[in-house]
Amino acid sequence: VKALGWNGACFDIENMPNTALPAYEAMLVRAHEKFAGAGLRLTVTVPAGEPAWNLARFAAAVDDVIFMNYDDHWQGGTPGPIAAQNWFNEQLAIARRDVPADKLIVAIGSYGYDWHDGIADAMTIAEAWQEARESEAMPMFDTVSGNSGFAYEDTDETGTHKHTVWMMDAVTNWNQLVQLQGIKGVALWRLGSEDPHFWDVLAASRSGKRPALEQIPASNGTDIEGRGEILRIEAEPRGGVREIVWGANGTIADETYKVLPSPYVVRRTGGADPKKIALTFDDGPDPLYTPKILSILESKKAPAAFFVIGENVIEHPGIVRRIVADGFELGNHSFSHPNLAQESDFGTRLELNATRRLIESYTGRSLRLFRAPYFGDAEPSTADELRPAEIAQERGYTIVGLHVDPGDWKTPGADAIARNTIAQIEAGSETHSANIVLLHDGGGNREQTVAALPQIIDGLRAKGYQLVSVAELAGLSHDAVMPPISGADRAAVDADVGIFLTIGAIGYAIRWLFFFAIALGIARAVFMTVLALLDRKADKSRYANAPQPPVSVIIPAYNEEAVIVSSIQTVLASDYPALEIIVADDGSKDATSARVAEHFGSDPRVKLL
């Protein structure tokens, strides 16, 4: 604890047999003595509804007690309210009786349980709402227990399954929090699973105000459905609505859900056949590695998709034309490879549009495949990952994720790249498809990728895998993912050709201007060095017969007209044989420089700057 810089520790050891509790309490007594001696605090969690846990003795053994006032019905038991209000109040009264108020921290729950098939799955409140939405079973508030719940049945190949879900949302939390006055603190189980309004009810319980719970924020995260690494956003996040009925004593008497909140809904496809594999290459085109990769793919008759960066396309349009002429696919990987999660919507659109128009101008075909830079998988979970994909989808793109990343950019060696690729593909499953492989043809030294590619192709084919295009995985044609430019767009594309050629020429010109500027800087440095050496040689001849080394006295002067002459005369009064005086006039507004020139203009020992 001390090594990690903590100011204490919490012992949370649960599900012990009752016979172990005396020994546990004795251990805490010994631990507390050591912790206190080291200036550290010691806390223990104690479950509610367990009489064998002697609250008074545990409280005496430690600094604080976290009283876990939930799980009246738990994962190992029968379905029911997780913490009914009456049960919660009864347990709280016991804790208040046995634990000093300045040691008592009451933990309340904000999560759910789904009982089915003899087991119970713990779930976040957002997951409970999502399950209710998908099963079309609106949660109902149980006025007796103060908890909410719902039930439904689903059927699969194994039969019909009955689900009973109970949860503690912000309404339950409010009714519990208003009972917790006069204790040391409140704890939450568990962070990240709570109703987003939990923090509002916590603040309101301390301020004495009623919380506004009617409008529920949109759910975080993503509801990902289907199998594969081709993604489509089917729904944006939306908020929910509930009606609240307040009771006479400041508690909430009833709650009615009208609309449940929802997160992004993403549909995955392309994973129906685990034996179909698509090779993709990011960050090109590169003048050295992309042609080598193309030659290998051509000789092996293996399809592939190249997700190109616009800046590289400007410099190497011939390689892009070769990719298209050879029948490979092109995808949009942005223009300058930024982290689109940190870009504005306008910036993302600009990145997409610039690269698309560039490809259209050079190849006569457009782009319909998109992969965002730094987009590492096919499991987008946050808004900053999904918003760029949403913008791309609005502009007609198909989002291409991935699950197979052998890490060729880490340059672990060609054999390791090939071995990791095949191993990850073979590890694919029903819930984790492995149909799309990420490799790189640009962005660094890709010699290892070039060397590994034949091993990957031959190794996969030897194991019965078929290499296919991304378009085939997505159920699309080649022209659908790279549509030819129509005659109506031709004039605009022709104009773009001139614009991009101009941009490219400016880029080359700026590059050579930098080279020229660097050359000028080097020439200047050499010239100044030569002058310095010549001046050093002159100084040596000037003081060749001096018995001591030359000395320079620098006099900085600013508006020193009244004293500058006497100051210089004082230095010149020295009998040192090799003496030089430099007067540095730092922009004087008076006649400092004029006085120096007037009195010492003919004295070789005095220099005025």
Side-chain angles (χ1 to χ4, degrees):
V1 170
K2 290 186 71 68
L4 291 169
W6 301 347
N7 60 4
C10 176
F11 279 75
D12 180 29
I13 304 176
E14 302 178 30
N15 300 323
M16 288 187 293
N18 292 340
T19 54
L21 294 180
Y24 182 36
E25 181 239 318
M27 183 273 289
L28 289 173
V29 171
R30 296 193 302 275
H32 184 246
E33 181 179 354
K34 293 180 178 293
F35 271 65
L40 302 170
R41 297 189 63 80
L42 185 65
T43 302
V44 66
T45 61
V46 176
E50 297 287 345
W53 288 71
N54 190 315
L55 278 173
R57 293 184 62 87
F58 276 102
V62 296
D63 295 303
D64 294 309
V65 172
I66 299 179
F67 184 65
M68 301 182 291
N69 206 359
Y70 45 78
D71 275 0
D72 180 23
H73 292 84
W74 61 298
Q75 285 178 280
T78 57
I82 301 173
Q85 190 66 47
N86 287 341
W87 178 87
F88 179 90
N89 292 342
E90 291 169 0
Q91 301 305 316
L92 177 61
I94 295 171
R96 287 183 183 276
R97 181 194 67 198
D98 295 341
V99 181
D102 60 354
K103 285 189 174 186
L104 178 59
I105 300 170
V106 175
I108 65 175
S110 189
Y111 59 92
Y113 285 141
D114 174 10
W115 282 273
H116 64 93
D117 304 314
I119 61 174
D121 298 325
M123 54 182 16
T124 69
I125 296 299
E127 289 169 344
W129 287 334
Q130 179 177 319
E131 191 166 315
R133 187 177 60 256
E134 292 175 350
S135 64
E136 299 181 353
M138 191 68 77
M140 298 181 64
F141 183 76
D142 177 24
T143 56
V144 176
S145 69
N147 292 192
S148 293
F150 59 95
Y152 68 96
E153 293 183 353
D154 64 359
T155 303
D156 58 21
E157 61 275 5
T158 64
T160 299
H161 308 275
K162 295 182 177 181
H163 294 257
T164 302
V165 179
W166 283 92
M167 62 182 186
M168 294 183 289
D169 60 11
V171 170
T172 302
N173 297 150
W174 169 261
N175 288 342
Q176 293 175 345
L177 283 167
V178 295
Q179 310 297 323
L180 300 183
Q181 306 304 317
I183 62 173
K184 182 170 185 176
V186 175
L188 170 68
W189 181 260
R190 62 182 169 84
L191 190 63
S193 73
E194 74 276 10
D195 184 320
H197 275 303
F198 170 81
W199 306 102
D200 298 315
V201 300
L202 179 63
S205 69
R206 299 188 172 199
S207 66
K209 299 178 181 178
R210 286 184 175 182
L213 306 178
E214 288 78 6
Q215 300 297 320
I216 308 173
S219 295
N220 294 323
T222 312
D223 178 10
I224 301 178
E225 301 175 354
R227 180 174 181 216
E229 292 127 283
I230 309 296
L231 310 179
R232 179 167 185 79
I233 300 172
E234 293 193 336
E236 298 179 3
R238 66 173 187 176
V241 179
R242 55 188 163 195
E243 291 182 354
I244 301 296
V245 177
W246 289 91
N249 58 353
T251 59
I252 297 175
D254 201 1
E255 169 190 34
T256 303
Y257 281 96
K258 297 297 184 181
V259 178
L260 291 171
S262 62
Y264 275 103
V265 178
V266 176
R267 173 70 59 183
R268 297 186 302 191
T269 58
D273 187 346
K275 286 295 184 179
K276 289 186 175 182
I277 306 299
L279 301 177
T280 66
F281 296 86
D282 282 9
D283 297 349
D286 181 273
L288 181 60
Y289 305 112
T290 305
K292 293 181 179 180
I293 289 172
L294 288 171
S295 296
I296 294 171
L297 294 170
E298 291 161 2
S299 67
K300 299 282 187 184
K301 294 181 172 54
F306 291 82
F307 289 86
V308 296
I309 297 172
E311 287 181 339
N312 295 340
V313 173
I314 284 182
E315 296 189 13
H316 312 293
I319 299 176
V320 174
R321 292 191 184 101
R322 177 182 171 182
I323 292 172
V324 175
D326 291 349
F328 298 108
E329 295 169 343
L330 284 173
N332 198 328
H333 199 47
S334 80
F335 187 82
S336 61
H337 203 271
N339 184 346
L340 294 179
Q342 300 173 359
E343 289 284 329
S344 65
D345 288 359
F346 174 77
T348 298
R349 294 188 183 98
L350 192 63
E351 289 277 340
L352 293 173
N353 194 57
T355 302
R356 178 179 64 84
R357 298 299 270 179
L358 184 61
I359 294 298
E360 290 173 349
S361 68
Y362 284 144
T363 69
R365 286 182 176 268
S366 191
L367 296 175
R368 291 296 182 269
L369 299 178
F370 169 70
R371 176 184 287 152
Y374 309 105
F375 183 66
D377 54 31
E379 314 291 339
S381 58
T382 61
D384 59 359
E385 290 179 313
L386 286 159
R387 182 55 186 160
E390 186 177 19
I391 293 172
Q393 182 174 293
E394 291 169 354
R395 303 179 81 80
Y397 285 93
T398 295
I399 315 304
V400 182
L402 61 113
H403 274 154
V404 181
D405 180 3
D408 65 327
W409 53 275
K410 301 176 183 177
T411 61
D415 292 343
I417 293 171
R419 186 170 58 252
N420 293 342
T421 300
I422 295 172
Q424 290 182 33
I425 290 172
E426 291 185 313
S429 64
E430 280 292 324
T431 58
H432 189 82
S433 60
N435 297 90
I436 295 181
V437 179
L438 169 65
L439 296 167
H440 295 82
D441 64 323
N445 186 327
R446 302 303 178 212
E447 285 292 352
Q448 293 182 5
T449 302
V450 173
L453 185 56
Q455 300 180 50
I456 293 171
I457 294 172
D458 295 341
L460 289 174
R461 284 174 171 169
K463 292 178 178 291
Y465 291 95
Q466 177 187 0
L467 297 178
V468 301
S469 66
V470 172
E472 182 173 337
L473 285 182
L476 301 170
S477 67
H478 182 76
D479 284 349
V481 298
M482 293 182 62
I485 301 303
S486 64
D489 292 334
R490 194 73 248 179
V493 169
D494 290 341
D496 286 342
V497 172
I499 293 172
F500 284 119
L501 287 175
T502 301
I503 292 172
I506 292 172
Y508 280 113
I510 291 174
R511 179 181 301 173
W512 283 106
L513 282 173
F514 272 107
F515 288 148
F516 182 65
I518 292 168
L520 284 179
I522 294 172
R524 179 181 181 276
V526 172
F527 183 63
M528 295 295 289
T529 301
V530 171
L531 291 180
L533 291 173
L534 291 174
D535 188 58
R536 182 181 181 189
K537 183 178 180 181
D539 281 350
K540 284 183 177 180
S541 62
R542 180 177 171 186
Y543 300 109
N545 298 320
Q548 289 91 16
V551 171
S552 296
V553 178
I554 302 174
I555 303 177
Y558 177 74
N559 292 343
E560 302 291 354
E561 176 185 359
V563 298
I564 191 63
V565 173
S566 60
S567 297
I568 296 172
Q569 288 173 339
T570 300
V571 178
L572 288 176
S574 169
D575 58 0
Y576 196 84
L579 186 64
E580 172 188 59
I581 298 175
I582 299 172
V583 180
D585 186 347
D586 189 21
S588 296
K589 303 297 190 293
D590 62 7
T592 298
S593 289
R595 298 278 288 167
V596 174
E598 176 187 350
H599 287 80
F600 307 102
S602 59
D603 192 329
R605 297 171 297 172
V606 180
K607 293 180 180 179
L608 172 64
L609 304 180

